[in-house]
């Protein structure tokens, strides 16, 4: 795996709850094109409102300028297809519920549509990456990227890795998170 942080130009967020919508906004604010996957058109509309509300708050608090709004929104696309979301993405942030079987199902869908060298980070807070990626085709590119909430405001992110995670991926993910303004801490207990 020879991908470097500066090679990451397109991201995908899988799941549009509080964490997924916030990651999506952060990626877009940092100039990445990002596609947010959610399961229904209704959820797409809800996520658009959440992200717009977050941008409005950032403007009100002076964190960004009003004229940045359209540029940020222009970096975000939405889909109800995981395959469409991950197509061409170098970095995929999975934000599904904390249920191991569901995480594994989502990971299988991601792998089926993602590029062979795409990095897959899970926002999981309590599940081991080794357990999530136990049935993965490419466990070496799976890593944990657990943010403190909400990710677009609080800079800390904990990076965890599994027994089969490529150590080059660990460094690339740390560098990537730092590039987008996160304080990335690698937890060394597998």
């Amino acid at each position: 795996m020879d991908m470097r942080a500066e090679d990451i130009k397109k991201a995908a967020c899988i799941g549009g709850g509080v964490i997924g919508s916030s990651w999506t906004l952060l990626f877009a604010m940092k100039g990445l094109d990002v596609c947010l996957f959610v399961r229904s058109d209704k959820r797409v509309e809800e996520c658009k409102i959440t992200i717009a509300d977050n941008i409005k708050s950032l403007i009100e608090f002076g964190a960004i300028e009003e004229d940045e709004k359209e540029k940020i929104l222009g970096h975000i696309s939405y889909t109800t297809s995981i395959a469409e979301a991950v197509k061409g993405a170098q970095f995929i942030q999975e934000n599904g519920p904390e249920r191991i079987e569901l995480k594994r199902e989502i990971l299988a869908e991601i792998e089926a549509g993602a590029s062979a060298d795409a990095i897959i980070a899970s926002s999981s807070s309590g599940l081991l990456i080794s357990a999530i990626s136990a049935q993965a085709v490419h466990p070496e590119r799976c890593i944990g990227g657990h943010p403190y909430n909400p990710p677009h405001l609080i800079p800390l992110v904990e990076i965890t890795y599994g027994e089969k995670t490529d150590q080059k991926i660990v460094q690339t993910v740390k560098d990537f998170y730092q590039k987008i303004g996160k304080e990335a801490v690698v937890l060394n207990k597998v």
Side-chain angles (χ1 to χ4, degrees):
M1 172 60 83
D2 293 323
M3 188 181 307
R4 298 168 306 151
E6 46 277 352
D7 297 329
I8 300 171
K9 307 290 184 210
K10 183 176 180 196
C13 281
I14 308 302
V18 172
I19 296 171
S21 292
S22 184
W23 273 122
T24 299
L25 176 55
L26 176 64
F27 293 153
M29 287 171 53
K30 298 302 180 179
L32 294 165
D33 289 326
V34 57
C35 188
L36 174 59
F37 161 82
V38 290
R39 296 237 178 245
S40 70
D41 290 331
K42 179 182 180 209
R43 284 293 300 136
V44 166
E45 294 310 312
E46 292 168 354
C47 289
K48 286 180 179 180
I49 292 167
T50 298
I51 289 171
D53 287 347
N54 285 335
I55 291 173
K56 181 180 176 191
S57 294
L58 290 169
I59 293 168
E60 288 172 359
F61 290 113
I64 62 172
E65 300 296 322
E66 176 76 40
D67 62 358
E68 294 177 80
K69 177 182 178 178
E70 292 309 315
K71 184 177 180 184
I72 293 167
L73 291 173
H75 283 291
I76 303 171
S77 59
Y78 301 85
T79 184
T80 57
S81 163
I82 287 180
E84 185 178 322
V86 301
K87 185 177 181 183
Q90 294 95 14
F91 191 86
I92 301 158
Q93 186 78 46
E94 175 273 316
N95 309 288
E98 291 284 298
R99 295 195 312 268
I100 192 70
E101 288 308 319
L102 184 55
K103 293 264 190 202
R104 287 177 179 166
E105 288 171 20
I106 292 169
L107 179 56
E109 284 188 68
I110 290 170
E111 285 193 305
S115 301
D117 62 348
I119 296 169
I120 305 166
S122 176
S123 290
S124 179
S125 61
L127 301 173
L128 296 175
I129 294 307
S130 292
I132 294 170
S133 65
Q135 300 166 353
V137 176
H138 294 286
E140 70 278 2
R141 60 186 175 136
C142 298
I143 194 160
H146 173 249
Y148 280 58
N149 276 327
H152 73 280
L153 294 178
I154 300 178
L156 188 60
V157 62
E158 296 173 337
I159 298 170
T160 57
Y161 55 92
E163 296 163 356
K164 296 181 181 178
T165 304
D166 184 331
Q167 287 301 303
K168 291 179 188 174
I169 296 276
V170 176
Q171 188 61 52
T172 297
V173 169
K174 182 177 182 183
D175 293 345
F176 170 70
Y177 282 141
Q178 289 178 328
K179 181 181 139 201
I180 63 169
K182 303 300 279 177
E183 180 65 39
V185 177
V186 178
L187 303 180
N188 288 313
K189 192 169 186 177
V190 180

